[in-house]
Amino acid sequence: MSAPPARITIKDVAARAGVSKGAVSLAFNQRPGLSEATRERIFAAARELGWEPDLSARSLSNRRVDAVGLAICRPARLLGLEPFYMEFISGIESVLTEHSCSLLLRLVRDLDEETALQARWWRGRQVAGSILVDFHEDDARVPALKDLGLPAVAVGHPSLTGGLVSVWTDDATAVAQAVRYLAALGHRRIARVGGPLSLGHSGIRSASFESTMAELGLEEAQQIATGFAGEEGARATRALLLSARRPTAILYDNDIMAVAGAAVAAEMGLSVPHDLSLLAWDDSQLCRLTHPTLSAMSHDVHGFGAEVARTLFAVLAGEEVESHQVPTPALTPRGSTAPPPA
């Protein structure tokens, strides 16, 4: 009778990675003191050997993990300027404080990096659960994190989130409302400057914009998909205003791009709203500090973040939690919109 295969141990992983057992422990406990290259080499060795730490034997096994994970695929400089995420995170934090819990925030380059990060957080007992944002069509995170058993709440329409508990805003209805408002003012050439089409919510907004324009019998929808930075919004605005079918109104997917668009209009000698109407999304303080103030699709982003965090705590408590929608962004007309020039 052959002997059973030897059990793989932390010593074997250390030998395969060329490090000490202490370094393996640091890597899996997400402690400082290792370079990222060494940490990745250790994880690769563990995967090759099929080894995972024995969570029952670790010091964290008998106490609650007081952290929630959030990974965002954005450049650090853009995240610091983007009002939406600052408000959203502040809403999350308001609930975490009530639970004496911390937010573990990381910026990632892509979904693959986030999937690997979430797996390390969960296997290393760094988080009790995670909040997932910016869903794509057929998002690869969903099956991977379901297989891990990671408790999570998805911020996105259920059509994108693969059966995860979801909290979302009705972007399609909000876009239709914005287009109908501009059409009621008399605009027939309306354009939209949106986020990347790889993002599921951008695709939902784009489809709603196009269908509403067609339903109202307006001129063919003009849309430019771009990033969320001000310079990208400015570039898209300039392209629209230099086109043969110059729009008389533009809807933007965030307030940074709308403010940049107002600057481009002024640079080109166009008056807002007399020559060009502008309508932003999210309605941060930026919209109220411009001149003229920006009309916007307003919603309580802080409250949105708080509701997402409350939903995650319900999931962690083992409650029966259903996906649900928060209030739809509502139109707030201000000085940047008016009837088109005669």
Side-chain angles (χ1 to χ4, degrees):
M1 182 175 177
S2 60
R7 186 171 69 89
I8 302 298
T9 67
I10 190 172
K11 182 178 179 181
D12 300 313
V13 175
R16 172 69 66 93
V19 298
S20 67
K21 290 192 297 182
V24 177
S25 180
L26 287 175
F28 276 90
N29 282 291
Q30 294 293 311
R31 302 298 186 197
L34 298 175
S35 70
E36 195 60 31
T38 300
R39 199 179 300 273
E40 290 300 331
R41 192 166 76 249
I42 291 169
F43 291 140
R47 285 194 299 271
E48 290 166 9
L49 294 171
W51 181 85
E52 291 186 6
D54 181 0
L55 297 181
S56 65
R58 290 168 56 183
S59 61
L60 285 172
S61 61
N62 294 319
R63 70 174 177 87
R64 188 179 66 178
V65 180
D66 293 319
V68 165
L70 173 63
I72 302 175
C73 188
R74 291 281 197 286
R77 184 177 295 277
L78 175 58
L79 187 68
L81 295 172
E82 193 168 25
F84 173 86
Y85 269 120
M86 295 300 98
E87 279 288 299
F88 183 72
I89 290 169
S90 75
I92 293 171
E93 287 281 12
S94 71
V95 175
L96 297 189
T97 299
E98 297 171 3
H99 292 263
S100 300
C101 194
S102 301
L103 181 68
L104 187 53
L105 174 66
R106 278 280 297 273
L107 303 185
V108 294
R109 291 183 297 269
D110 53 40
L111 295 186
D112 288 341
E113 183 179 353
E114 180 182 347
T115 301
L117 173 68
Q118 296 281 4
R120 290 202 301 273
W121 279 349
W122 180 239
R123 287 173 176 147
R125 292 295 300 276
Q126 295 301 292
V127 297
S130 285
I131 294 167
L132 307 178
V133 298
D134 287 345
F135 275 80
H136 295 224
E137 292 280 356
D138 300 318
D139 198 295
R141 292 172 296 178
V142 174
L145 299 184
K146 277 184 174 180
D147 287 347
L148 278 175
L150 170 70
V153 169
V155 180
H157 191 273
S159 64
L160 302 167
T161 56
L164 294 173
V165 174
S166 306
V167 183
W168 76 95
T169 59
D170 186 353
D171 286 357
T173 295
V175 167
Q177 182 186 12
V179 174
R180 290 180 186 282
Y181 163 68
L182 292 170
L185 290 177
H187 293 278
R188 298 194 61 79
R189 291 196 309 277
I190 304 170
R192 173 177 167 269
V193 176
L197 284 178
S198 59
L199 291 177
H201 73 267
S202 293
I204 288 171
R205 293 182 189 184
S206 176
S208 178
F209 182 82
E210 187 168 342
S211 65
T212 307
M213 292 282 287
E215 177 192 328
L216 296 175
L218 304 178
E219 293 194 16
E220 184 181 349
Q222 290 178 275
Q223 299 192 72
I224 295 182
T226 184
F228 294 108
E231 57 267 24
E232 293 172 290
R235 214 164 23 244
T237 302
R238 195 170 288 111
L240 287 168
L241 297 182
L242 289 172
S243 68
R245 295 173 51 246
R246 190 178 84 191
T248 61
I250 305 176
L251 170 63
Y252 294 86
D253 261 18
N254 75 0
D255 29 26
I256 295 178
M257 294 195 295
V259 170
V264 168
E267 163 200 311
M268 298 179 69
L270 297 175
S271 170
V272 175
H274 304 297
D275 299 319
L276 176 69
S277 287
L278 305 179
L279 182 59
W281 202 279
D282 292 332
D283 196 17
S284 71
Q285 284 288 346
L286 280 178
C287 295
R288 297 182 282 281
L289 293 174
T290 59
H291 182 75
T293 53
L294 286 170
S295 297
M297 300 308 296
S298 307
H299 65 124
D300 182 2
V301 178
H302 181 278
F304 188 20
E307 178 59 21
V308 168
R310 283 191 290 267
T311 303
L312 179 58
F313 278 108
V315 169
L316 294 175
E319 299 175 16
E320 288 291 329
V321 183
E322 293 187 357
S323 298
H324 57 282
Q325 178 186 310
V326 298
T328 301
L331 176 68
T332 302
R334 296 198 184 95
S336 69
T337 49

